[in-house]
Amino acid sequence: MILGIGTDLANIDRIQNTLDRFGDRFRNRVFTPVEQAKAERRRDTAGTYAKRWAAKEACSKALGTGLRMGIAWRDMAVSNLHTGQPVMEVTGWARDRLDEMTPPGHEAIIHVTLTDDHPWAQAFVVIEARPLA
């Protein structure tokens, strides 16, 4: 069963301007060390950050809150499997909200997909509840 759906579109140039203006202050407020390491290794650093920004926005929408009610940017983090597939991990208040949404006898699975085509980065998040075996 689907518990939540969220999508977001981010402007890569806007993220680049924010990185230029605020640097580490912005990076450390919004992105986890793993996300920062991934982005800084990439040729398209701003595009990588923009996709993760969009994923966090999309996840907050799928959680039914948006970025309010105590949710923090770093409570949602995108990493990648060895295949390159992005995965969303939630901690803190985002984890509490996910647990609250998940019906008894089910596990929550967060699906995320990312794409970009300059100047846009997009993310789509679906939260699924699967019955426990």
Side-chain angles (χ1 to χ4, degrees):
M1 110 183 45
I2 303 298
L3 298 179
I5 299 171
T7 187
D8 193 66
L9 186 66
N11 185 288
I12 296 169
D13 294 331
R14 180 174 162 247
I15 296 297
Q16 181 64 65
N17 291 339
T18 303
L19 288 164
D20 292 343
R21 184 170 177 198
F22 297 105
D24 285 342
R25 188 169 141 211
F26 171 66
R27 282 182 197 89
N28 294 332
R29 179 173 170 250
V30 175
F31 302 101
T32 66
V34 170
E35 290 173 312
Q36 290 181 46
K38 171 80 171 184
E40 297 301 325
R41 286 193 309 268
R42 303 292 301 264
R43 184 171 39 107
D44 182 14
T45 302
T48 302
Y49 279 123
K51 285 185 281 189
R52 279 149 178 76
W53 171 280
K56 291 167 187 275
E57 286 275 9
C59 184
S60 72
K61 292 170 185 174
L63 289 168
T65 64
L67 286 161
R68 58 182 177 86
M69 296 175 56
I71 199 166
W73 287 102
R74 289 170 47 127
D75 284 349
M76 302 165 288
V78 178
S79 59
N80 297 85
L81 301 177
H82 71 280
T83 60
Q85 176 185 350
V87 292
M88 176 69 70
E89 299 171 39
V90 292
T91 59
W93 190 90
R95 167 53 66 185
D96 294 344
R97 173 67 181 142
L98 181 63
D99 292 344
E100 177 184 300
M101 293 171 61
T102 306
H106 290 74
E107 65 176 335
I109 309 295
I110 302 175
H111 304 276
V112 61
T113 186
L114 309 172
T115 191
D116 66 296
D117 186 8
H118 197 273
W120 301 107
Q122 184 177 30
F124 192 74
V125 170
V126 175
I127 302 175
E128 171 190 12
R130 288 187 193 161
L132 295 171

